[in-house]
Amino acid sequence: MPQFTKGTPKPAGSGRKPGTPNKRTTLHNQAIKAFVDNYLGSPQMEADFKSLEPRDRLIIAERYATHVYPKPQSVDISISNPDNNHNTLSEKLSSLAQHYDS
């Protein structure tokens, strides 16, 4: 392996190529996935779940659901009135009715 001195630029093409996954992260993720896969649906998980208080079971189920179902996003609706002629819905409807009656 070549020795580099401080201050010299890195040679072209050195380092990990773009898109190459980090091996340590990949190994950790695989180990965690294997542990979870072995535990989920096992008799031990069922026994652990049944030993919890009902309130704790609901908390666990809620936390699990956030990984299965997408979280609803809040929606902010802003209606601007460029005319500033009608402040209420009934005023706007009256104006529209008069417009179409004529």
Side-chain angles (χ1 to χ4, degrees):
M1 182 170 205
Q3 294 294 323
F4 298 103
T5 57
K6 188 174 181 175
T8 59
K10 288 190 339 182
S14 66
R16 193 170 40 185
K17 305 295 180 234
T20 304
N22 184 314
K23 289 179 186 175
R24 180 176 289 170
T25 302
T26 302
L27 290 173
H28 286 144
N29 289 345
Q30 288 173 347
I32 291 169
K33 184 179 180 330
F35 172 79
V36 170
D37 287 345
N38 288 333
Y39 183 68
L40 288 177
S42 69
Q44 181 64 47
M45 180 189 170
E46 188 174 336
D48 292 345
F49 195 72
K50 286 181 179 179
S51 70
L52 295 172
E53 294 293 323
R55 180 175 186 268
D56 294 333
R57 279 188 232 148
L58 287 173
I59 291 170
I60 297 291
E62 178 188 23
R63 288 182 184 168
Y64 181 73
T66 62
H67 295 282
V68 177
Y69 300 106
K71 257 187 168 173
Q73 299 294 315
S74 67
V75 178
D76 184 24
I77 298 176
S78 174
I79 300 174
S80 62
N81 186 358
D83 300 335
N84 287 329
N85 296 337
H86 310 289
N87 294 332
T88 64
L89 179 60
S90 60
E91 290 174 353
K92 182 68 173 175
L93 291 173
S94 296
S95 171
L96 289 171
Q98 289 172 4
H99 175 74
Y100 286 108
D101 284 342
S102 49

